[in-house]
Amino acid sequence: MDTALSTATDPVVAAAAMPRARVLGAYLQEARSECLRYLRTPSFLLPTLLFPSVFYLMFGIFLAHANGPDAPRYLLASYVTFGVMAPGLFGFGVSLALERDNGLLALKRALPMPPGAYLLAKMLMATLVAAVIALILLGMAVFLAHVDLRAGQMLALFATAVLGVLPFCAMGLWLGTLIKGQGAPGLVNLVYLPMAFLSGLWFPLPLLPKILQRIAPVWPSYHLDQLAMAAVGMNKGALLPHVLTLVGFTAMFLLLATRRLRRYG
Amino acid sequence: MPHFDDPIARLGGVVKRYGRLTALDGAELQLRRGELLALLGPNGAGKTTAIGLLLGLIRADAGTVELFGQDPQRSQARRRIGVMLQHAALPQTLRVGELLRLTASYYPAPRALAETAALAGVGDLLQRPYAKLSGGQQRRVQFALALCGRPELLFLDEPTVGLDIEARQKLWLTIRQLIAEGCAVLLTTHYLEEAEALADRVCVMAHGRVIHEGSVDALRARVAIRRIRCRSTLAVETVRGWPEVNEAQADNQQLRISTAAAEAVVRRLLDADPGLCELEVQRAGLAEAFTELTRDADAASATDQREAA
């Protein structure tokens, strides 16, 4: 009697089957909610958008003459890199640290959310914010600083920004598994700001002490900055090593993060 | 092949340790289709760990954990459950309607938004951001999220904490309605009257084990103590001296006696004081039964530890 029931006709099994269109729908809903959520959170969005643009306005445009004719172009690459780091580090690191602490992650894991939806949604949100930052800075460079950029260069910088957010998403994810709770924003800043400084995003590397110049390649932001420089025509060196290093960083942080998430939840 | 009578959720001899602390020590638990099982126990008894295992949030060190005959970490099994956790801060800036749509999207055949809203009584809140709701309203929204996927099994972890009496009664009514539709419920609660009002079976945990499982009446019956109240001129010391009496207290002319042999004590009372009036005999409530059970378990565990040391 039991064996006469086939799996397909068993209502108990059929009830749990999820059509592919609905799975896709769940991914979209998750992404939509994540984006809405952060667009409505000024304490996340405003600093993320304002810091790089205000810095660029001050040092790349108003005070640029003191720094030589190439300063607006040079600093465009630096501040795009600086700006792109934040949505990855904060969107992943801080939000994961908070959601691990306040029970939201546990609820999401208990619900039948498709397994990748949570991370993909955050990644999409970070990419979107990175794209907006790149567009704002490009607009300022072209219309306020009158930097002479070809269409190809703009496109290259935009692509660098949008893809360049990924290593920082992975790094944020890993940081988010290490820290927990309300102290997270401060701790992530302790990583973000020194790393930006040590990669030469605030002061050009040649102005920093020799030892700091030598260890700069340790930071992922250094490599993204090199790619951003190349996009605006200020770095004629080989690009592949930087791309590969960033891919390596992404893989390493992802691996560390998934190991910790699996072990500690 | 799944059988209709098979348990839909099961812990079999489950052990879970956190470092040196053993949270679950061979716990057994079975939940059948359409029943409401209340999981009771003092803090630290292992209830949260048991729920966490059944939801696939943590892995057992030993034993079997099954949800609809599958590993709960597979989302296929979890598509048939609804979840309301005690501590879960939902995204503050999303509106109630958005939260409901998002959660419903995880399920193969969810309820319509209006149906969910009506069942949980959140129809007037759909446009409001979650952060702007009162504690009781947030609780109702969490309940709505738990039932929006048309679950066959609902996990409710302290669902009525922070609710006023009216809201609690309403929630109980909805839970009964869901059970009538065939939904099973695993309820953890600190309110024994909630278990008494809703549960088919109760399961009492202490020190990582299930120390009692059965109907509410069976649990009450395990405690033989009954309470006698009356107005009498008898001296409390006299009553206290009777061998059947466990304890006696007097308050003006009110006597309060607890005993395992209520009939014998009542007979003696009536013989000794013909003027006795306002006689009441009550079986101990779930609360007393619960206290007694867990006290026994505490004592047993303390003895174990002494023997081990």
Side-chain angles (χ1 to χ4, degrees), chain A residues 83-169:
Chain A
V84 156
M85 292 161 72
L89 288 176
F90 288 86
F92 267 83
V94 173
S95 74
L96 184 67
L98 291 176
E99 286 161 19
R100 259 168 11 99
D101 193 47
N102 68 18
L104 183 62
L105 186 63
L107 179 67
K108 293 228 173 228
R109 285 176 57 216
L111 289 171
M113 178 182 64
Y118 179 78
L119 294 184
L120 265 179
K122 285 199 189 302
M123 203 177 88
L124 191 80
M125 196 273 303
T127 313
L128 202 73
V129 175
V132 172
I133 291 170
L135 288 178
I136 292 175
L137 291 184
L138 271 169
M140 290 169 73
V142 171
F143 296 111
L144 298 179
H146 307 292
V147 179
D148 187 18
L149 287 171
R150 281 178 284 113
Q153 287 178 320
M154 290 193 231
L155 212 64
L157 185 65
F158 183 74
T160 307
V162 168
L163 293 174
V165 77
L166 296 180
F168 298 98
C169 288

Side-chain angles (χ1 to χ4, degrees), chain A:
Chain A
M1 149 101 203
D2 284 359
T3 47
L5 287 167
S6 85
T7 314
T9 55
D10 186 349
V12 169
V13 174
M18 185 102 163
R20 192 161 299 166
R22 280 205 64 83
V23 176
L24 187 70
Y27 276 98
L28 290 177
Q29 274 290 345
E30 190 69 39
R32 178 177 176 273
S33 303
E34 193 69 16
C35 292
L36 273 180
R37 215 179 133 182
Y38 282 101
L39 293 181
R40 290 181 191 155
T41 310
S43 61
F44 165 76
L45 203 61
L46 283 182
T48 312
L49 295 182
L50 282 181
F51 272 130
S53 28
V54 168
F55 281 163
Y56 187 56
L57 192 69
M58 280 173 58
F59 300 109
I61 298 172
F62 290 150
L63 305 174
H65 304 295
N67 298 327
D70 268 342
R73 183 185 291 269
Y74 182 95
L75 290 174
L76 173 64
S78 299
Y79 286 127
V80 163
T81 306
F82 176 67
V84 156
M85 292 161 72
L89 288 176
F90 288 86
F92 267 83
V94 173
S95 74
L96 184 67
L98 291 176
E99 286 161 19
R100 259 168 11 99
D101 193 47
N102 68 18
L104 183 62
L105 186 63
L107 179 67
K108 293 228 173 228
R109 285 176 57 216
L111 289 171
M113 178 182 64
Y118 179 78
L119 294 184
L120 265 179
K122 285 199 189 302
M123 203 177 88
L124 191 80
M125 196 273 303
T127 313
L128 202 73
V129 175
V132 172
I133 291 170
L135 288 178
I136 292 175
L137 291 184
L138 271 169
M140 290 169 73
V142 171
F143 296 111
L144 298 179
H146 307 292
V147 179
D148 187 18
L149 287 171
R150 281 178 284 113
Q153 287 178 320
M154 290 193 231
L155 212 64
L157 185 65
F158 183 74
T160 307
V162 168
L163 293 174
V165 77
L166 296 180
F168 298 98
C169 288
M171 189 175 181
L173 183 68
W174 176 61
L175 286 173
T177 64
L178 293 177
I179 53 184
K180 212 171 186 180
Q182 298 297 326
L187 286 169
V188 171
N189 264 321
L190 275 182
V191 174
Y192 174 44
L193 300 178
M195 190 163 73
F197 170 75
L198 293 170
S199 307
L201 302 184
W202 292 350
F203 301 100
L205 269 182
L207 301 183
L208 295 183
K210 270 269 172 318
I211 173 76
L212 295 185
Q213 291 182 36
R214 203 162 303 150
I215 62 166
V218 169
W219 317 111
S221 40
Y222 165 82
H223 299 277
L224 186 61
D225 190 36
Q226 294 303 308
L227 292 176
M229 293 285 186
V232 296
M234 300 208 55
N235 175 8
K236 306 288 182 216
L239 298 183
L240 193 64
H242 298 301
V243 174
L244 290 180
T245 312
L246 286 175
V247 171
F249 270 120
T250 311
M252 179 185 79
F253 288 130
L254 270 182
L255 198 76
L256 289 172
T258 44
R259 261 184 49 181
R260 272 195 69 88
L261 275 181
R262 202 167 292 152
R263 208 170 291 172
Y264 305 104

Side-chain angles (χ1 to χ4, degrees), chain B residues 130-147:
Chain B
Y130 185 74
K132 297 268 194 288
L133 304 180
S134 73
Q137 288 171 327
Q138 292 191 342
R139 220 62 198 130
R140 260 150 59 200
V141 170
Q142 293 166 22
F143 183 59
L145 296 182
L147 58 85

Side-chain angles (χ1 to χ4, degrees), chain B residues 262-299:
Chain B
E263 291 79 4
V265 174
V266 168
R267 193 170 294 128
R268 257 185 114 152
L269 276 171
L270 292 172
D271 286 345
D273 179 10
L276 182 142
C277 60
E278 291 179 29
L279 176 68
E280 267 179 59
V281 182
Q282 265 188 334
R283 185 178 281 294
L286 199 53
E288 281 101 339
F290 176 74
T291 315
E292 183 135 315
L293 262 174
T294 48
R295 199 174 42 216
D296 290 351
D298 284 350

